[in-house]
Amino acid sequence: MINQYKFEDGPELRDLFITVDDPESHITAIETFITYRVVTKTTRGEFDSSEYEVRRRYQDFLWLKSRLEEAHPTLIIPPLPEKFIMKGMVERFSDEFIETRRKALHKFLNRIADHPTLTFNEDFKIFLTAQAWELSSHKKQGPGLLSRMGQTVRAVASSVRGAVKNRPEMFTEMNNYMETFSQKINLLDKIAHRIYKEERDYFNEMKEYGPIHTLWSASEEDIADSLKGIASCIDRCCRATEKRMAGLSEHLLPILHEYVLYSEILMGVLKRRDQIQGELDSKVDALASKKTEKDQFSEEIGKLEDKVERANNALKADWDRWKQNMQWDMRSTFINVAENNLRYYEECLATWESFLTSQTVDLHVDEDSEDRP
């Protein structure tokens, strides 16, 4: 089956379809965890079958993300939802938490599938197709302790050196852009959560007024119909408010938080690019200070120059793609919120206008009956 995925500049054909669903709880003597079913359908020739079904837990998704970062240090790897949640939001392993995480994991895999480079990563293919024991065996073939220690040492050394000497202006501009973006998206995320909390408090308070007016109508015979009408209006507005809250929690809040995480990822990608650049700068400085071993240093510098060029080209291409997708996501999300708000106010306004009109008609009827002899 071939489908289309819409970008801002037009449709793009897809040949890989991934669904994350069917969360399942597992309780052992030492831990409790959730696994999710990952179903993959594809028409790609490099896959042995056209359909796969495996179960994965959150740790498996973390492993995949780390492997992608290792293989593609200057590509923008999509964010995963955090392992732990903020206190006071939702309880861990509650239905709401599990469903929110399921949607985020689904988006994570489909973001990778839509990426022109990441989609062909071998670890991604193994993640989608390998049974649990096969994946566990493959994980053990990852980088060893010494390799990971070497990466850590290089990262620390790069941070100690400070800013790189020969960073191209383009990447300085990217860094400045991301610092501003991070501030603004974090602020938007906080405002959106505050709006949602105020909306929830308003909803909880408003839904108490319907039953109050219904009970009141039982003791006020003269205005019983009017009180019941008010109760009905309040009930309809409560349902409209609930729908608007669902729109915020399903569309606005997740996309804003996703880009909060993206801002952290982008800053990490820029730092990794600087580390590669810094490694080249240190070799160039070492060559300038040494009179011997110049041939060896020259060869190493040549390899590092190629590495820096590849890293720069990868980041430049991914940066343009990320910005395009980000702008598309933000535009469509805020348009969706605006449309939901319009429908909400139109529905509530129509509800109360209908009620007031009926009350005016009843009042005129009563006045006419009183005027008759």
Side-chain angles (χ1 to χ4, degrees), residues 154 157-158 161 164-166 274-290 297 300-301 304:
R154 286 197 297 273
S158 176
R161 282 195 299 270
V164 293
K165 297 178 182 178
N166 302 310
D274 281 355
Q275 287 167 10
I276 296 170
Q277 178 81 55
E279 196 174 351
L280 172 61
D281 291 346
S282 67
K283 289 292 183 183
V284 171
D285 290 344
L287 178 62
S289 64
K290 285 184 178 286
F297 270 91
E300 290 182 16
I301 287 172
L304 283 171

Side-chain angles (χ1 to χ4, degrees), residues 147-304:
S147 173
R148 294 196 299 272
M149 285 177 63
Q151 293 170 5
T152 303
V153 168
R154 286 197 297 273
V156 171
S158 176
S159 64
V160 169
R161 282 195 299 270
V164 293
K165 297 178 182 178
N166 302 310
R167 180 199 282 164
E169 183 63 26
M170 170 185 291
F171 299 110
T172 299
E173 292 174 359
M174 283 186 191
N175 195 77
N176 294 338
Y177 179 95
M178 286 312 304
E179 286 179 356
T180 303
F181 178 84
S182 179
Q183 292 174 359
K184 291 183 177 180
I185 199 69
N186 274 279
L187 180 59
L188 279 173
D189 186 51
K190 290 177 182 177
I191 291 171
H193 275 89
R194 189 171 70 234
I195 290 172
Y196 181 79
K197 181 181 180 302
E198 291 174 353
E199 191 83 358
R200 185 180 59 199
D201 293 343
Y202 169 69
F203 168 75
N204 289 333
E205 186 174 345
M206 180 169 60
K207 69 181 181 181
E208 296 179 2
Y209 286 110
I212 288 173
H213 282 79
T214 301
L215 290 172
W216 187 7
S217 68
S219 60
E220 296 286 351
E221 186 177 344
D222 293 342
I223 56 172
D225 290 342
S226 295
L227 292 172
K228 289 178 182 177
I230 292 172
S232 176
C233 289
I234 292 173
D235 184 55
R236 271 181 248 160
C237 288
C238 276
R239 290 198 297 270
T241 302
E242 198 167 22
K243 280 195 290 186
R244 186 163 74 150
M245 287 169 58
L248 291 174
S249 65
E250 292 173 11
H251 301 292
L252 180 63
L253 298 183
I255 201 72
L256 289 178
H257 192 63
E258 182 184 19
Y259 279 97
V260 167
L261 298 177
Y262 258 128
S263 69
E264 297 170 2
I265 287 170
L266 260 296
M267 296 303 289
V269 168
L270 288 165
K271 284 180 181 177
R272 287 196 291 273
R273 194 222 69 87
D274 281 355
Q275 287 167 10
I276 296 170
Q277 178 81 55
E279 196 174 351
L280 172 61
D281 291 346
S282 67
K283 289 292 183 183
V284 171
D285 290 344
L287 178 62
S289 64
K290 285 184 178 286
K291 295 180 181 179
T292 60
E293 302 176 356
K294 286 199 172 183
D295 290 342
Q296 179 186 346
F297 270 91
S298 296
E299 184 179 349
E300 290 182 16
I301 287 172
K303 291 179 181 178
L304 283 171

